[in-house]
Amino acid sequence: MRLRPVLAMVRKDLLIFFGDRRSVIVAFVVPIAIASFFGAIFGGGSGNSEPAKIDVSIIDQDNSAISKGIVSGARRDKNLRVLVATEQTARDAVKRGKTSVVVIIPAAFGDAAGRAFLGLAPQPALRVLYDPSHRTELAMVSGILTQYVMQAVSREMFGGQSGRRLVNQSLPQVDSMSMDPVQRSALRQMLQSVQSYYDRDSARGSSGGGGLAMPYTVTEEAVTSGANVNYNGYAHSFGGMGVQFLLFAMANLGIEMLLERQRGLWKRLRSAPVSRFMLLGGKVLSGALISLLTLWVSFAFAMIVFRVRIQGSIAGFIGVSVACALMAATFGLLVAALGKTPATARGVTTLAVLMMVMLGGAWVPAFIFPAWLQQATKVVPVRWAIDGLDAMTWRGLGFDGAVVPILVLLAFAAVFAAVAAARFQWEEA
């Protein structure tokens, strides 16, 4: 019979929660909408989807065989979307944030690159205009262009008309170059060998070589727990946003407890034949039920709409969810225990939740953090909640992958509950 007051408190909290339309929207609709957005950004539901292409404008002011080869190679690359524009138009597009990178091939670049390739002149420079907020795209474009520049220059130097012309022009000039005699002799021998290569190709009617190619290819393999277990960006985003908003919901529950204390409700509850432990336990129970419902509704939506699957242990998923709900509920109790007034608690709690979800990998996966930050975030409970949910969904791990996150989350819940019970103020100061 002693549980009847506790169950009455739980029922009261659930009725208040579902009776507040704004709370229901924040708890269910908002995390689903935001998680859908983040999931689409971080890979969506298919590991085989076409990669997002980088918009890059290539302006060919040289119009040589080499520059045309560079542009042609870039157009074929699956990671680039090559745009055609004038220099002024391209520069304006970068200023407005519409284009990330502009590559300008200056006049006479082909001849200068050919001479540099043969060691006859300094290296010419490609002009690159870029948006300073897109340095990652700049690095990718630079790496990709290196391949096509090498292919175009070597193809022309070892078989093209401009390469033949350049070698024929350079051979008579070798003896007048100011360089070490040994180097001069080696250069002369190299140019003569290239010239012999041209003559042999002409005698056979060959059109020249295909240029230097990349000496290797890369075979990519996404490693998960099984052949049929694929990464799903929506699984991570729904876990992250679900944890974030159940923390906000429980923080709001703690602030409501502060309001109830101001009204003298907790003072009256102490006169009931129920221990303080049972009263606080009832609050934790109702908060955990709301948290669990919030998390599972979000994942149910993800499973129906975005084909998110529990690829790992179902028992492990339930265990991580329950541990996460208890951690969030005790966090709300901690807010009520440490908060002085509802107004001050609301501001501090909002900052605390945002910091936890940001460092815990709820917004972006923690594996893209710097190494030192990945280690530092292990003291944040959200990190363990996200890792546990990831392990049970797209990683496809067994129950053993859920044991450590469950234990750590329960440890955080125990610490939060102990501090809250010790510091809880039953009357308004």
Side-chain angles (χ1 to χ4, degrees), residues 308-386:
V308 171
R309 295 292 179 265
I310 301 174
Q311 306 279 11
S313 168
I314 295 178
F317 178 81
I318 295 174
V320 173
S321 300
V322 172
C324 185
L326 287 172
M327 180 274 295
T330 53
F331 174 74
L333 192 65
L334 186 66
V335 171
L338 300 182
K340 298 297 182 181
T341 64
T344 57
R346 185 174 287 109
V348 174
T349 302
T350 299
L351 177 61
V353 171
L354 291 177
M355 290 298 295
M356 283 197 296
V357 298
M358 178 179 65
L359 295 176
W363 293 348
V364 295
F367 57 75
I368 70 174
F369 291 173
W372 67 269
L373 187 57
Q374 291 187 35
Q375 297 301 318
T377 56
K378 290 184 178 180
V379 301
V380 180
V382 176
R383 167 72 185 275
W384 296 96
I386 301 301

Side-chain angles (χ1 to χ4, degrees), residues 91-99 131:
R91 184 181 291 272
D92 185 65
V94 174
K95 289 180 181 179
R96 297 177 181 274
K98 296 181 179 179
T99 301
D131 186 334

Side-chain angles (χ1 to χ4, degrees), residues 30-106:
V30 176
I32 287 174
I34 297 179
S36 301
F37 172 75
F38 274 99
I41 292 177
F42 291 106
S46 174
N48 299 319
S49 59
E50 182 180 356
K53 295 187 175 183
I54 302 173
D55 289 337
V56 53
S57 294
I58 301 182
I59 302 170
D60 185 4
Q61 298 177 343
D62 185 28
N63 201 32
S64 64
I66 289 177
S67 64
K68 290 178 180 178
I70 296 171
V71 175
S72 176
R75 287 184 183 277
R76 295 192 304 269
D77 195 278
K78 65 179 182 179
N79 297 301
L80 302 180
R81 182 184 294 108
V82 178
L83 310 174
V84 178
T86 64
E87 180 177 350
Q88 185 58 42
T89 303
R91 184 181 291 272
D92 185 65
V94 174
K95 289 180 181 179
R96 297 177 181 274
K98 296 181 179 179
T99 301
S100 300
V101 182
V102 175
V103 178
I104 301 174
I105 305 176

Side-chain angles (χ1 to χ4, degrees), residues 4 64 75 114 200 255 263-264 315:
R4 183 173 296 176
S64 64
R75 287 184 183 277
R200 185 171 61 254
I255 293 172
R263 301 187 188 108

Side-chain angles (χ1 to χ4, degrees), residues 277-317:
F277 174 79
M278 295 294 286
L279 289 174
L280 296 180
K283 278 294 183 180
V284 171
L285 179 59
S286 60
L289 289 175
I290 294 173
S291 298
L292 198 59
L293 187 61
T294 299
L295 193 61
W296 282 357
V297 167
S298 295
F299 269 103
F301 180 90
M303 291 175 184
I304 295 171
V305 178
F306 299 115
R307 299 182 181 179
V308 171
R309 295 292 179 265
I310 301 174
Q311 306 279 11
S313 168
I314 295 178
F317 178 81

Side-chain angles (χ1 to χ4, degrees), residues 83-145:
L83 310 174
V84 178
T86 64
E87 180 177 350
Q88 185 58 42
T89 303
R91 184 181 291 272
D92 185 65
V94 174
K95 289 180 181 179
R96 297 177 181 274
K98 296 181 179 179
T99 301
S100 300
V101 182
V102 175
V103 178
I104 301 174
I105 305 176
F109 176 84
D111 281 345
R115 291 179 180 276
F117 183 79
L118 297 175
L120 299 171
Q123 298 171 330
L126 290 172
R127 292 177 56 204
V128 178
L129 313 177
Y130 68 96
D131 186 334
S133 66
H134 291 263
R135 288 184 177 272
T136 302
E137 287 90 335
L138 171 64
M140 290 182 62
V141 171
S142 298
I144 292 171
L145 281 181

